[in-house]
Amino acid sequence: MPHTFVIFGASGDLTHRKLVPALYRLFRKGRLPAETRIVGFSRTEFSHGDWRANLAESTARQVGEDFDAGVWAKFAESVYYHPGDIGEAKEFESLAGFLRGIERAAASMRVYYLATAPRFYELAIEQLGRSGLAAENGGRRRVIIEKPFGTDLASARRLNESVHKVFREDQVYRIDHYLGKETVQNLLVLRFANTIFEPIWNRNFIDHVQITVAEEVEVGSRASYYDTAGVIRDMFQNHLLQLLMITAMEAPVRYEAKSVRDEKVKVLQAVRPLAGEQVHADTIRGQYRGYAQTPDVADDSRTATFAAVKLWIDNWRWQGVPFYLRSGKAMSCRTTQIVVQFQEPPHMLFPEGPRSAVESNRLVIQVQPAEGIQLHFQTKVPDAGMRLRQTDLDFRYQREFRGAIPEAYERLLLDALEGDASLFARADEVEAAWAICDPILEEWQRGDQPKLHLYEPGLWGPTESTGWMLDQNRQWFDICPVLH
Ligand code: BG6
């Protein structure tokens, strides 16, 4: 069946930087379903030709040497533009007419992608309902919704209710691009396609887990959005909790959307809620020096650009194992990594063996940019008595597999076109994630505890974060991955 991919908010940054480059790459690899049309909808007036020329330029910039003018010309034949205002009902009717025209009355599967500013999501969904565009009389209809999905639990619930007035849950694809990353999906494979990890993946062998998403960049041109969001809404509610779910979930009964998402949600439901005093003790917040002087940020802004949060998962597998989540802008380097720190051996036989817990076995999953996995363990130094040293087994995607790792959006857009929602967030999942973040945000808002620590750009966040870990006899794994 032919497919139509309609992008609302088409003149925006996301379309140019991510969506169209991903669709183009899929087309180039022959993965886009045959007869897939792409329609942009936004207020700016463009002719089809101007729109195509505009996209050619931005896509060439994004995909670099993957850009082939001949392939683009073929791809662009199926790219259209329809100007319209999301606030105007009649413009949705005219869009409906336009889509019927290019689909030539044949049944077509349609995906509506909401890439507008989030405040337009509800309105766009209402208009899709009112204009009949959501009705499945001429083929299936799906909607993809970008993050942020709400700004707290109450607004996420309201948005879910509005969505469910028009679309069934199985038609809704809430994007978290972290789930489209190869290395995040590989975590499922590492855990559930091997026998050696799962038996020790629990409280009996693991001391704690660290999940870090560090970014070197500052907020830059996104400051006005960022200052209303901060690191908890921007990174924790979605990406970090997704990584937590995949790391901590039980094995789903099968690899399909319902089973996978059932198990993921159970993790969030088992997270012990932080509130009041506990938020003071178990969270660290920071702001990089210079943030408040960024254009569009208030001089007295108290927005956190860094956070570290300790979470407990109250279930059989994870009782007593802390999960440390941390993320920040203006950090030492760009790295997303999950560190599984195993316990110390119960008895150290070798007097010259390691004395500290950090030298125990450690599995490091490098999500990006040096995609790979390292397993650290003790080895006897040759010809040196029984002296030991930590060494590692080092798996690197770049060494092992040829070809570039695809962009997260490629996988996700293809899954949505094919109707596989395994890598998308379900309504209850986003609500459960907000239920974890809301009390932290409320407590931070209420007073000055924990303190908002200033940190120097280019470090691993505030020094208090390092001290906080040391007070718990633990240490952050602060190592920038080596790219080769
Ligand atoms: C986005 C956040 O969701 O993820 C950004 O809004 C952040 O602030 C980005 O920079 C990080 O994504 P990635 O794929 O570069 O790790």
Side-chain angles (χ1 to χ4, degrees):
M1 181 186 286
H3 291 59
T4 310
F5 192 90
V6 186
I7 307 172
F8 294 97
S11 53
D13 192 49
L14 185 72
T15 311
H16 291 87
R17 270 193 320 112
K18 298 287 183 190
L19 305 182
V20 172
L23 291 164
Y24 164 75
R25 280 197 165 110
L26 287 169
F27 178 80
R28 188 166 184 237
K29 293 181 204 166
R31 308 246 173 91
L32 209 56
E35 267 201 76
T36 299
R37 307 172 197 92
I38 296 153
V39 180
F41 180 98
S42 67
R43 276 187 313 187
T44 323
E45 289 284 341
F46 279 118
S47 65
H48 298 307
D50 290 347
W51 170 240
R52 288 171 190 153
N54 184 297
L55 289 178
E57 219 172 90
S58 53
T59 307
R61 227 181 3 255
Q62 290 301 320
V63 307
E65 59 192 30
D66 281 351
F67 193 81
D68 175 315
V71 177
W72 174 266
K74 218 66 232 97
F75 172 77
E77 284 169 12
S78 308
V79 174
Y80 303 88
Y81 188 79
H82 189 80
D85 186 332
I86 289 192
E88 298 291 332
K90 63 176 191 324
E91 296 186 3
F92 276 72
E93 279 150 31
S94 112
L95 173 66
F98 176 74
L99 294 178
R100 279 193 302 272
I102 58 170
E103 287 165 353
R104 288 182 231 97
S108 289
M109 140 77 221
R110 280 190 206 148
V111 174
Y112 302 117
Y113 198 111
L114 303 190
T116 62
R119 65 178 186 283
F120 296 120
Y121 290 171
E122 285 191 57
L123 183 57
I125 284 165
E126 246 174 66
Q127 302 277 31
L128 285 169
R130 209 173 299 145
S131 58
L133 279 165
E136 294 200 293
N137 43 17
R140 286 187 183 282
R141 306 289 178 249
R142 296 186 187 123
V143 62
I144 306 184
I145 307 177
E146 257 298 327
K147 76 166 265 259
F149 197 89
T151 53
D152 56 14
L153 178 56
S155 57
R157 275 199 183 127
R158 270 198 312 276
L159 181 53
N160 271 332
E161 278 162 20
S162 306
V163 170
H164 290 153
K165 280 187 197 142
V166 177
F167 293 100
R168 296 183 314 275
E169 178 61 23
D170 66 275
Q171 294 174 281
V172 185
Y173 291 68
R174 293 173 196 77
I175 276 227
D176 184 313
H177 77 282
Y178 265 59
L179 292 176
K181 294 186 190 280
E182 286 288 336
T183 40
V184 175
Q185 293 158 40
N186 189 51
L187 184 51
L188 290 168
V189 174
L190 178 83
R191 293 192 52 200
F192 304 130
N194 293 296
T195 42
I196 61 170
F197 298 109
E198 222 28 42
I200 53 168
W201 206 260
N202 58 50
R203 64 187 303 273
N204 297 322
F205 297 91
I206 294 176
D207 177 74
H208 73 276
V209 176
Q210 300 178 14
I211 301 178
T212 297
V213 182
E215 293 182 279
E216 208 175 342
V217 292
E218 303 190 352
V219 294
S221 60
R222 294 170 74 232
S224 64
Y225 146 75
Y226 193 88
D227 205 43
T228 61
V231 66
I232 296 284
R233 290 192 177 91
D234 188 50
M235 298 298 287
F236 276 68
Q237 189 274 341
N238 34 71
H239 310 325
L240 278 104
L241 288 179
Q242 285 296 342
L243 297 176
L244 173 78
M245 286 185 266
I246 307 272
T247 308
M249 70 195 275
E250 298 298 319
V253 279
R254 62 187 72 83
Y255 188 71
E256 52 85 34
K258 180 174 182 326
S259 309
V260 171
R261 297 192 296 179
D262 282 351
E263 294 308 331
K264 283 174 59 195
V265 172
K266 285 187 206 161
V267 174
L268 296 187
Q269 288 165 345
V271 169
R272 193 182 304 164
L274 283 181
E277 297 278 295
Q278 212 54 51
V279 174
H280 308 171
D282 288 353
T283 67
I284 297 277
R285 59 172 157 165
Q287 187 184 79
Y288 64 81
R289 205 176 285 284
Y291 171 77
Q293 285 73 57
T294 313
D296 294 330
V297 172
D299 293 348
D300 57 352
S301 170
R302 295 189 44 77
T303 299
T305 60
F306 170 94
V309 174
K310 174 161 75 164
L311 293 176
W312 299 96
I313 300 176
D314 283 332
N315 63 18
W316 274 61
R317 187 192 282 262
W318 296 117
Q319 199 53 236
V321 180
F323 282 74
Y324 295 94
L325 275 53
R326 113 183 124 150
S327 180
K329 303 270 186 209
M331 305 263 286
S332 288
C333 56
R334 174 172 181 253
T335 178
T336 297
Q337 58 195 24
I338 301 169
V339 176
V340 179
Q341 178 69 64
F342 289 92
Q343 295 173 2
E344 290 178 65
H347 168 61
M348 183 44 72
L349 208 57
F350 310 103
E352 292 183 69
R355 294 260 169 257
S356 84
V358 287
E359 290 191 52
S360 309
N361 295 127
R362 187 193 296 134
L363 183 71
V364 180
I365 296 148
Q366 301 280 0
V367 174
Q368 64 186 23
E371 292 86 355
I373 299 174
Q374 287 91 41
L375 179 64
H376 299 272
F377 56 94
Q378 292 295 325
T379 308
K380 180 185 173 306
V381 179
D383 200 18
M386 279 315 244
R387 201 144 63 77
L388 311 187
R389 207 186 74 193
Q390 199 170 48
T391 47
D392 59 11
L393 290 176
D394 186 4
F395 154 66
R396 303 267 174 158
Y397 272 76
Q398 226 177 25
R399 263 200 316 251
E400 197 67 26
F401 300 106
R402 267 181 299 148
I405 292 193
E407 270 281 316
Y409 276 90
E410 289 179 42
R411 170 71 192 254
L412 295 176
L413 298 187
L414 194 57
D415 281 3
L417 285 165
E418 289 174 351
D420 181 352
S422 309
L423 299 174
F424 292 84
R426 206 165 60 186
D428 51 347
E429 191 175 324
V430 283
E431 290 184 16
W434 279 119
I436 293 169
C437 295
D438 270 15
I440 301 175
L441 290 167
E442 278 160 23
E443 199 54 33
W444 283 10
Q445 180 74 29
R446 182 168 305 139
D448 71 344
Q449 288 299 322
K451 288 217 166 330
L452 180 70
H453 302 290
L454 284 183
Y455 61 95
E456 297 302 325
L459 301 179
W460 290 90
T463 46
E464 286 76 5
S465 154
T466 312
W468 178 70
M469 278 299 251
L470 289 174
D471 288 347
Q472 302 172 64
N473 285 326
R474 298 197 168 100
Q475 209 172 305
W476 288 117
F477 184 74
D478 284 345
I479 296 185
C480 290
V482 183
L483 293 163
H484 34 209

